[in-house]
Amino acid sequence: MQLKKEESFLQDFNKASGCEYLETNGLGGWSGSSIVGAHTRRYHGLLVAAIHPPTDRMVLLSKLDEAIAFGERRFELGCNRYEGDIVHPMGNQYLQSFRKDFFPQWTYKVSGIEMKKTICMVHGENTVVVRYSIERADKPFTLELLPLMAARGYHELGRASSHMHWDVGFTNGIFHTEPDGINNVYISVPGSTYQHSPRWFYNFKYDVEQYRGLDYTEDLFNHGIFSVQLKEGDELNIIISTENPEGRNGVELIQMEFERRNKLLEGQPENETIKHLVLAADQFIVKRSEALKTVIAGYHWFTDWGRDTMISLPGLTLSTGRYDDSKKIIAAFAQSVSRGMLPNRFQEKEPPEYNNVDGTLWYFIAVYKYLHATGDDNFVLKEILPVLKDIIHWHFKGTRYNIHVDEDGLLYAGEVGQQLTWMDARIGTWVVTPRMGKPVEIQALWYNVLKIFAELLRLNNQVEDADLVEQSAAKAKESFDKLFWYEDGKYLYDIIDEDGKPDATLRPNQLFAISLPFSLTEGEKANEILNIIEERLYTQVGLKSLPSDDVHYIPRYGGDQWHRDSAYHEGTVWNWLLGAYAEAWFKLKKDKLKIKAIIEAFTYHLNEACIGSVSEIFDADAPHYPRGCVAQAWGVAEVLRIIIDYGLYDQPHSKAKSKESMLA
C-alpha cells in the first residue's frame, strides 16, 4: 500500500493536522510534526535532539517556515494554529501531495512554481537534512526561511523570556547559536544571506495538548531570516545539527541514509506493508552506549521500558534479521537486573524503576526466541544463563513487591498501591486495575519461564537440575488448571486475587495461556477462549481491554490525565495484542488465511495518525480513533512479527533501488 495524502485532504486543515510524520535518529531524538507543518503537540519539532542518548531530549529548532517571493508577490508556505483557533499562515492551501516512502516528502504548487520538500534525519546524529527540489519555476524566485527556536526540554512548553540567547554567528551560509546558552544549533543554508531581526512569536496552540487536558500554548523565538535565490532545476539541501556542518554535503547525507534504510529490507519479501513496518521498526532501536542498544517504547514521550522492549524484541530484531542488535539489547538488560528483576523503565535522570512483574518474565521469551533464531548458544549459555538462574532464584526466594512463588507453584505478585502488570494505570494512589494476586498472563509467562529455563539447563548439560525445574512447571500447570477455568463463562478467570477469590472479568490477558511458546491451555478449552475473545473483544485494530457490556467499560479515551488513565485498560483497544490473537488462531486452527485477514484488516491504519507507524491505543468504540503515543514499538513489532514469521507474503526482495527512485 502507498502512504500518501492528496490535495483535497491536505487543504482541509482539521483533517490533515490530525496526521503526522516522524523521522528518528537511532539516539532517541526525532523530527516530527503534523503533515501540514502546524504543530499539534509539545513534542513536535524539526530538531528534537537526544543530548545524552537515549534520553535528555531537547526541542531545539521547533520549525523552519518557508515563504516564496518574487517581485511584489509573496506566498507563505508555513502553517500554524494560534490561540483563538486562528490558522496563519495557511500554507497547506499550496500543498498538492504528501507521501511517506523512505522519507516524508511534500509537493507544493504556487504561482507557476512546483517544489518538492524532503526531510531526513541522519542515523547516529542529532542532524536533520531538509531538501528543496525545484521541479518547475516560470521565473527565478527567493525562498525565505524563518527558523523558530524552542530550546527547551521535550516535556515542557516555552514562554517569552530573557533566557533565550539572541547572539548568532553567520559565516559562509552557516548559522550558529546557543539558544539556551548550553546546546549548539547550526543551520547550513548554502548560498543564502541572513538578516538578523530577533523577535518572539506568541501563542502557538497545540490542539492535542488541549485535548489531553494539558497546557497547550507556547511562544517561539526567531533570530532572523534566511534568503536564497532559486530557479527551475535547483536543489537546496539544508543541514540542521547540534554539530558544526562545515564541509558536509546534504546530498551525501540523504543518500547515505537512504542506503542504510534500503539495506534493512534485504532478504525481506517485496511488499509495501513489510517495507513500511521494517522502516518503522528501525525507529525504535536506539543506542544505549557504545556497545549496547535498547528499544524506545513509544514516541514521543516514552523512554526504554523493560516489558515493552522484551515484547517488541522478536518482531523488531529477530523477524527482521537484526541479530546483532537483538544480542546487544539482551546484554544491555542483563546488566540492569536487580534482585531478580528487569527494570520497568529507565528514567531520564533518575535510577531505573523496578515496579513490574512481567517484564522479567518476557525476558526469558526474548532470550528463547533469540536462541532459536540464531543458534548462539555460546552467548546464551555463558553470558545470559547465569542471569536467568539469578532471576529464578529470586522468584522462588521472593523479591520486591511481594513477588514470589506460592505453595501451589504459581507466581504471586502485588502490594497495595502498586501496579505490576502491563495493565498499569495509576492515578495518584489509586491503581485503576490493581490485579494483585495471580494474574492469568503472569501464570502463562511463569510456566514458559520454567519450561525455557529447563530447556537451557539441558542444553548446558545440567539434566538433573532441568528435571527439577520441569517438576515445578508441571506443578504450576496442575494448579492453574484447577484454579483458572471459569466453567459458566467458558473462559479463564483474569486473576485469582490476594484472598484466593477468582475475578471473572473478561479480558484479553488469557490469550497468552494459548499463544506463548509453551501453551498452558489447549484443546477444547483453548478453542472456547478464542471464540469468546473473537466475539466480544476483537476489533480490526486490536483487542478491547473490556467487553462493551461490562459495567466499567469506557468507550472513548480522552480528556485530562484522570479521565485518560481511568479509561486506559477499561475498554481501550490495544493493537499489540493482535500478535497473541493471530498466534492463537494459527496454533489452534492452522489457518494462515485467517491470520492474513486479521493483519490486512488492520493495515489501513498505516495511512492515518503517524503515517507509516502504529499508534499505541484506539478508542474502544468504532471508528476506533487512534490515541496515545503516535508510534508504539510493540504495536509495530507484533504486526511485523506475524507477517514475517508466518510468511504471509513471500516474494523475495529485489536489489537496492536507485537514488532516482528514492526521491521520485
Side-chain angles (χ1 to χ4, degrees), residues 227-292:
S227 299
V228 60
Q229 304 301 309
L230 297 171
K231 63 183 185 304
E232 185 173 311
D234 283 351
E235 184 177 275
L236 175 66
N237 290 278
I238 297 171
I239 302 174
I240 303 158
S241 182
T242 56
E243 303 293 332
N244 191 340
E246 185 176 1
R248 305 195 79 186
N249 185 302
V251 176
E252 293 175 356
L253 290 176
I254 290 182
Q255 180 62 20
M256 176 183 68
E257 184 58 21
F258 166 73
E259 291 172 357
R260 187 193 72 82
R261 296 184 190 188
N262 197 39
K263 191 173 182 180
L264 298 174
L265 302 175
E266 290 181 358
Q268 298 296 347
E270 184 77 33
N271 175 270
E272 285 293 304
T273 298
I274 290 178
K275 180 179 78 171
H276 298 316
L277 288 170
V278 168
L279 295 175
D282 178 61
Q283 296 185 324
F284 301 100
I285 302 169
V286 301
K287 175 181 176 182
R288 174 150 279 283
S289 68
E290 290 303 320
L292 301 174

Side-chain angles (χ1 to χ4, degrees), residues 428-578:
T429 58
W430 174 42
V431 178
V432 182
T433 50
R435 306 184 74 228
M436 191 164 69
K438 298 169 184 174
V440 63
E441 81 279 13
I442 301 306
Q443 309 318 312
L445 283 164
W446 176 241
Y447 178 70
N448 274 261
V449 163
L450 294 172
K451 297 290 286 186
I452 289 167
F453 188 52
E455 187 171 310
L456 295 178
L457 289 173
R458 282 202 180 84
L459 191 61
N460 202 43
N461 297 315
Q462 296 175 258
V463 178
E464 291 184 5
D465 290 343
D467 290 342
L468 289 173
V469 175
E470 285 282 10
Q471 291 174 23
S472 295
K475 182 178 181 180
K477 180 172 173 51
E478 182 182 3
S479 296
F480 183 87
D481 290 340
K482 290 179 180 177
L483 293 175
F484 275 87
W485 183 247
Y486 176 40
E487 180 61 31
D488 290 346
K490 302 298 183 183
Y491 59 86
L492 295 173
Y493 291 118
D494 186 61
I495 190 170
I496 306 299
D497 72 15
E498 63 271 30
D499 298 319
K501 296 177 182 177
D503 178 358
T505 302
L506 178 63
R507 292 192 182 273
N509 302 304
Q510 60 192 296
L511 263 181
F512 294 106
I514 305 169
S515 66
L516 290 173
F518 299 92
S519 297
L520 196 49
T521 301
E522 298 172 309
E524 186 57 32
K525 288 182 178 179
N527 278 285
E528 288 177 328
I529 291 167
L530 189 57
N531 290 338
I532 198 167
I533 286 177
E534 180 183 36
E535 178 185 341
R536 299 179 63 189
L537 298 180
Y538 171 73
T539 77
Q540 67 190 106
V541 289
L543 299 185
K544 295 182 180 183
S545 44
L546 274 181
S548 57
D549 59 358
D550 191 287
V551 67
H552 299 294
Y553 180 80
I554 300 176
R556 296 276 185 267
Y557 176 90
D560 60 23
Q561 186 171 359
W562 190 92
H563 285 92
R564 283 184 281 116
D565 284 351
S566 62
Y568 209 31
H569 302 103
E570 303 288 51
T572 297
V573 173
W574 290 79
N575 162 264
W576 76 278
L577 296 170
L578 279 182

Side-chain angles (χ1 to χ4, degrees), residues 183-198:
N183 295 289
N184 292 305
V185 176
Y186 292 90
I187 307 175
S188 171
V189 188
S192 67
T193 59
Y194 170 75
Q195 180 181 354
H196 194 59
S197 53

Side-chain angles (χ1 to χ4, degrees), residues 157-190:
L157 285 173
R159 283 297 185 185
S161 72
S162 59
H163 297 296
M164 184 70 71
H165 287 229
W166 292 22
D167 294 341
V168 305
F170 184 76
T171 306
N172 297 325
I174 298 178
F175 166 96
H176 171 242
T177 186
E178 294 179 3
D180 59 351
I182 300 171
N183 295 289
N184 292 305
V185 176
Y186 292 90
I187 307 175
S188 171
V189 188

Side-chain angles (χ1 to χ4, degrees), residues 116-403:
K116 286 188 177 179
K117 171 184 172 181
T118 303
I119 294 180
C120 163
M121 201 163 200
V122 179
H123 192 75
E125 301 183 21
N126 289 311
T127 299
V128 176
V129 181
V130 184
R131 169 178 289 174
Y132 298 95
S133 301
I134 313 307
E135 305 291 308
R136 186 169 69 86
D138 295 343
K139 58 182 94 53
F141 65 94
T142 300
L143 180 66
E144 297 177 356
L145 299 164
L146 180 80
L148 293 165
M149 297 282 177
R152 58 166 172 81
Y154 73 127
H155 290 310
E156 303 165 3
L157 285 173
R159 283 297 185 185
S161 72
S162 59
H163 297 296
M164 184 70 71
H165 287 229
W166 292 22
D167 294 341
V168 305
F170 184 76
T171 306
N172 297 325
I174 298 178
F175 166 96
H176 171 242
T177 186
E178 294 179 3
D180 59 351
I182 300 171
N183 295 289
N184 292 305
V185 176
Y186 292 90
I187 307 175
S188 171
V189 188
S192 67
T193 59
Y194 170 75
Q195 180 181 354
H196 194 59
S197 53
R199 53 185 167 157
W200 284 94
F201 286 73
Y202 300 96
N203 295 321
F204 291 86
K205 180 186 176 185
Y206 302 150
D207 290 344
V208 177
E209 302 301 310
Q210 183 180 31
Y211 175 82
R212 290 168 62 83
L214 303 170
D215 294 342
Y216 56 86
T217 60
E218 176 166 50
D219 305 330
L220 298 173
F221 184 75
N222 169 244
H223 291 88
I225 297 175
F226 303 99
S227 299
V228 60
Q229 304 301 309
L230 297 171
K231 63 183 185 304
E232 185 173 311
D234 283 351
E235 184 177 275
L236 175 66
N237 290 278
I238 297 171
I239 302 174
I240 303 158
S241 182
T242 56
E243 303 293 332
N244 191 340
E246 185 176 1
R248 305 195 79 186
N249 185 302
V251 176
E252 293 175 356
L253 290 176
I254 290 182
Q255 180 62 20
M256 176 183 68
E257 184 58 21
F258 166 73
E259 291 172 357
R260 187 193 72 82
R261 296 184 190 188
N262 197 39
K263 191 173 182 180
L264 298 174
L265 302 175
E266 290 181 358
Q268 298 296 347
E270 184 77 33
N271 175 270
E272 285 293 304
T273 298
I274 290 178
K275 180 179 78 171
H276 298 316
L277 288 170
V278 168
L279 295 175
D282 178 61
Q283 296 185 324
F284 301 100
I285 302 169
V286 301
K287 175 181 176 182
R288 174 150 279 283
S289 68
E290 290 303 320
L292 301 174
K293 291 197 174 182
T294 189
V295 171
I296 294 295
Y299 291 100
H300 303 90
W301 50 79
F302 286 136
T303 55
D304 42 347
W305 290 57
R307 172 192 302 117
D308 298 60
T309 297
M310 296 310 139
I311 292 171
S312 302
L313 184 143
L316 297 185
T317 65
L318 300 179
S319 300
T320 57
R322 300 179 65 156
Y323 302 137
D324 186 58
D325 288 336
S326 185
K327 185 175 183 176
K328 289 178 178 178
I329 293 166
I330 289 170
F333 277 83
Q335 294 182 8
S336 64
V337 171
S338 167
R339 296 179 64 188
M341 297 177 67
L342 257 67
N344 185 38
R345 66 171 176 144
F346 291 94
Q347 302 185 89
E348 293 281 348
K349 296 178 181 179
E350 301 292 333
E353 292 182 343
Y354 286 86
N355 57 323
N356 80 106
V357 60
D358 47 353
T360 308
L361 310 181
W362 280 108
Y363 187 60
F364 281 72
I365 309 292
V367 170
Y368 179 75
K369 290 186 175 183
Y370 170 81
L371 178 61
H372 277 255
T374 66
D376 188 3
D377 54 357
N378 185 61
F379 167 67
V380 170
L381 298 181
K382 289 186 177 180
E383 297 187 36
I384 303 303
L385 185 55
V387 178
L388 302 185
K389 287 181 178 178
D390 182 65
I391 291 171
I392 293 288
H393 167 75
W394 275 101
H395 279 67
F396 275 99
K397 175 184 176 181
T399 185
R400 298 177 180 90
Y401 307 114
N402 202 16
I403 298 170

Side-chain angles (χ1 to χ4, degrees), residues 41 211-212 301 556-558 572 605 609 614-619 624-631:
R41 303 176 183 273
Y211 175 82
R212 290 168 62 83
W301 50 79
R556 296 276 185 267
Y557 176 90
T572 297
H605 171 66
V614 175
S615 297
E616 177 189 9
I617 51 176
F618 300 80
D619 282 343
H624 307 299
Y625 193 86
R627 305 290 187 188
C629 278
V630 299

